[in-house]
């Protein structure tokens, strides 16, 4: 069985993409017993910082050198073990990744499929591949959408978040039309929910914009979530009832996402 590949995306910065990647990864290895590869497709390298902190910055082998046509690193050679059992990571390679993405722009053919081709070499080794997308809509997310079975949208509540969704959905539509007709949106995670947000109205607006399931319940805003996740600690290791509950929520979200991918295929 080949891995299910998910691109975790939103071009809006700071909405919780990396937080979702890390906690879904934790859910996958602790409860679903899946072998996970996390591909850090963001030059900021935040997923790498949390999951494989020894492999930050510019590296001789990283996603940057996998995508760079002149280096052509095999993805297996760029893969490092993460700190959690069952998790491997393809580190971003920092600014080199931004340069590699830029160099793709001038490639004559095949630029959207660089990541897809690279992942096809290792897809049999994993059950789940999570791609942490950057806050942009350039060649990095386009490569991620082209390689993926599904996109998981992460959004924060609020009108500004809704305003940006059209551009993301347009990009997904373009990828479906030109490079990946099978691509689906497997769900939307609402992250950073606060009591003050008017959930019902906002969710209705989101449902109107998005032809995809919203994953219930939303993830609350709380400093301990940031503390645990940024330190690469699983919520199940945080030893509070709230953290354990949230861990279970991510498990349910992941089950739902995988179910939706299965139904769509
Ligand atoms: N539910 C939450 N409660 C509190 N803090 C959160 C929550 N989700 C994320 N954060 C914090 O908010 C910041 C942005 O989150 P994160 O890095 O996951 O977003 P992102 O979408 O990946 O950002 P970028 O677009 O820069 O990659 C981080 O410091 C993170 O720890
Ligand atoms: Mg991020």
């Amino acid at each position: 069985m080949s891995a299910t590949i998910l691109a975790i995306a939103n071009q809006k910065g700071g909405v919780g993409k990396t937080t979702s990647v890390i906690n879904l990864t934790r859910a996958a290895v602790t409860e679903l017993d899946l072998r996970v590869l996390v591909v850090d497709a963001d030059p900021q390298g935040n997923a790498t910082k949390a999951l494989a902190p020894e492999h930050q910055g510019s590296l001789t082998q990283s996603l940057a050198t996998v995508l760079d046509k002149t280096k052509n690193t095999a993805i297996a050679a760029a893969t490092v073990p993460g700190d959690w059992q069952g998790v491997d990571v393809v580190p971003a390679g920092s600014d080199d990744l931004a340069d590699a993405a830029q160099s793709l722009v001038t490639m004559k053919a095949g630029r959207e499929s660089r990541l897809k081709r690279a992942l096809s070499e290792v897809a049999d080794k994993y059950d789940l591949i999570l791609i942490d997308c950057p806050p942009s809509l350039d060649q990095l997310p386009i490569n991620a959408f082209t390689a993926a079975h599904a996109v998981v949208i992460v959004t924060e509540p609020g009108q500004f978040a809704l305003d940006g969704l059209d551009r993301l959905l347009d990009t997904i539509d373009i990828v479906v039309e030109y490079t990946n007709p099978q691509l689906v949106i497997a769900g939307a995670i609402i992250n950073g929910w606060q009591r003050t947000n008017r959930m019902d109205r906002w969710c209705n607006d989101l449902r109107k914009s998005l032809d995809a399931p919203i994953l219930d319940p939303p993830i609350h805003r709380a400093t301990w979530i940031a503390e645990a996740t940024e330190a690469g600690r699983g919520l199940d290791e945080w030893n509070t009832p709230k953290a354990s509950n949230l861990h279970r929520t991510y498990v349910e979200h992941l089950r739902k996402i995988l179910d939706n991918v299965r139904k769509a295929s």
Side-chain angles (χ1 to χ4, degrees):
M1 265 286 280
S2 191
T4 300
I5 305 177
L6 303 175
I8 316 298
N10 192 330
Q11 82 278 11
K12 193 170 191 313
V15 294
K17 296 179 287 293
T18 304
T19 300
S20 305
V21 166
I22 292 165
N23 290 312
L24 291 172
T25 296
R26 185 73 192 172
V29 290
T30 55
E31 308 291 330
L32 274 63
D33 208 16
L34 304 180
R35 298 162 301 170
V36 183
L37 177 67
V38 174
V39 178
D40 190 350
D42 184 351
Q44 296 177 99
N46 293 338
T48 309
K49 270 176 221 158
L51 295 174
E54 283 152 41
H55 300 275
Q56 297 178 47
S58 189
L59 302 163
T60 49
Q61 293 176 320
S62 65
L63 183 64
T65 67
V66 170
L67 295 181
D68 185 334
K69 196 90 177 76
T70 63
K71 306 243 170 61
N72 244 339
T73 303
I75 201 156
T79 302
V80 300
D83 282 359
W84 293 337
Q85 178 95 31
V87 180
D88 284 346
V89 178
V90 181
S94 193
D95 289 346
D96 296 343
L97 180 58
D99 294 343
Q102 198 51 42
S103 77
L104 289 179
V105 175
T106 57
M107 255 180 85
K108 288 200 177 71
R111 62 184 173 189
E112 296 89 358
S113 306
R114 295 280 299 167
L115 181 58
K116 182 186 171 83
R117 288 183 64 168
L119 286 178
S120 69
E121 292 165 17
V122 294
D124 287 347
K125 281 182 59 185
Y126 300 97
D127 303 302
L128 179 65
I129 298 178
L130 294 174
I131 309 171
D132 188 18
C133 291
S136 66
L137 288 173
D138 60 14
Q139 277 303 319
L140 290 171
I142 288 175
N143 261 267
F145 299 163
T146 302
H149 297 100
V151 179
V152 175
I153 294 175
V154 180
T155 180
E156 56 188 8
Q159 189 56 44
F160 288 158
L162 277 181
D163 292 346
L165 271 184
D166 280 352
R167 285 183 52 227
L168 175 59
L169 298 176
D170 282 350
T171 306
I172 293 170
D173 283 348
I174 290 168
V175 169
V176 168
E177 188 173 351
Y178 290 102
T179 59
N180 187 4
Q182 318 295 335
L183 183 68
V184 294
I185 302 172
I189 295 177
I190 300 169
N191 181 61
W193 179 253
Q194 288 173 296
R195 235 180 257 286
T196 49
N197 297 123
R198 283 198 278 159
M199 184 69 174
D200 291 347
R201 203 179 121 196
W202 187 81
C203 272
N204 281 339
D205 288 349
L206 180 63
R207 269 192 198 96
K208 274 185 228 150
S209 331
L210 198 65
D211 184 20
I214 296 170
L215 298 165
D216 243 357
I219 311 296
H220 280 257
R221 177 162 293 283
T223 44
W224 54 266
I225 301 176
E227 278 166 27
T229 311
E230 288 179 23
R233 294 273 304 277
L235 293 168
D236 58 310
E237 301 175 303
W238 202 245
N239 291 330
T240 67
K242 278 185 178 169
S244 303
N245 274 339
L246 186 59
H247 176 65
R248 281 193 288 277
T249 297
Y250 279 108
V251 173
E252 288 315 308
H253 283 0
L254 181 58
R255 284 210 171 97
K256 191 85 210 292
I257 290 165
L258 294 175
D259 217 33
N260 290 340
V261 176
R262 223 169 286 128
K263 281 185 200 146
S265 62

